[in-house]
Amino acid sequence: MYQRRNESPDFVGLEALKKKHKEQLTCFESWAAQRDWSSFHMSHYDWWMFPYGCHSGAFGASYAIYEYEAEQLKQDNEFIERFLRGVELLMLSWGWDLYGKCEVKNTDPDQCWQDWPIRLYKCAKSLKLFGFEEEFNSVKEYALPLIKAGLNFQYGSRDCAAIFLK
């Protein structure tokens, strides 16, 4: 069975992706421990923390992964643990308990939605690519009230709400 893969010469490769991902998770853990939620909102990390099959304007195909790479990464239990922890901490930065599927009580002032629909979209696309339906559904539960409240879920020409409305 053919699986699409990143064959671009710009692709950093799985080992470099895992290294960058691990370094970023270290930052996530530090920010969360310090309750520095604004660092989640102001930093750039989407492409290597939540990889999926889309090229970036700034990074091209460097961090894009498809079915083939996702299958390889799923064999690495440490990567998968770090990946899911990254999702958990991102959602926590917005005041959402990923596994409790509910809002966090007594959040800090910056621990709320920060108008990053593209970041939520990338997280969701990556969860789908890796087959994490339970976690995707929790992210969807977070997104739907925001969408229903009429918040802007456009990023450039991309409708970031569409993935949650299927």
Side-chain angles (χ1 to χ4, degrees):
M1 175 179 179
Y2 175 77
Q3 292 181 320
R4 187 169 178 200
R5 66 190 301 168
N6 187 340
E7 297 177 349
S8 171
D10 297 332
F11 180 47
V12 298
L14 293 180
E15 292 309 312
L17 173 65
K18 289 192 284 188
K19 182 178 187 279
K20 183 91 168 162
H21 187 273
K22 185 177 183 178
E23 291 168 355
Q24 189 66 57
L25 183 61
T26 299
C27 293
F28 274 24
E29 293 285 6
S30 175
W31 300 338
Q34 296 170 37
R35 305 178 81 80
D36 179 10
W37 308 113
S38 63
S39 286
F40 282 90
H41 311 314
M42 296 187 315
S43 300
H44 186 86
Y45 49 77
D46 322 19
W47 294 104
W48 45 87
M49 280 308 288
F50 311 114
Y52 73 103
C54 186
H55 294 195
S56 141
F59 297 105
S62 298
Y63 297 100
I65 67 165
Y66 301 96
E67 295 84 6
Y68 176 81
E69 291 84 16
E71 286 302 317
Q72 300 301 308
L73 290 168
K74 283 165 54 174
Q75 304 306 311
D76 183 334
N77 291 333
E78 289 179 19
F79 174 82
I80 293 301
E81 280 182 31
R82 287 191 303 266
F83 172 74
L84 291 172
R85 179 66 175 155
V87 173
E88 183 178 21
L89 291 173
L90 174 70
M91 299 309 297
L92 189 60
S93 80
W94 287 324
W96 185 256
D97 179 340
L98 181 69
Y99 293 105
K101 298 181 181 175
C102 63
E103 292 180 10
V104 174
K105 294 184 182 357
N106 303 314
T107 56
D108 296 323
D110 289 333
Q111 198 176 6
C112 58
W113 179 243
Q114 298 286 321
D115 298 318
W116 280 108
I118 190 65
R119 196 163 278 168
L120 190 62
Y121 172 86
K122 289 176 185 178
C123 176
K125 286 289 282 190
S126 193
L127 285 167
K128 292 288 264 181
L129 177 62
F130 283 103
F132 291 110
E133 288 299 318
E134 177 185 344
E135 290 82 356
F136 171 81
N137 287 331
S138 179
V139 170
K140 181 177 178 176
E141 282 187 48
Y142 176 74
L144 288 175
L146 299 173
I147 295 164
K148 289 178 182 168
L151 296 178
N152 182 8
F153 261 67
Q154 287 293 126
Y155 187 82
S157 62
R158 181 170 294 152
D159 176 7
C160 297
I163 191 170
F164 302 112
L165 300 174
K166 294 179 184 179

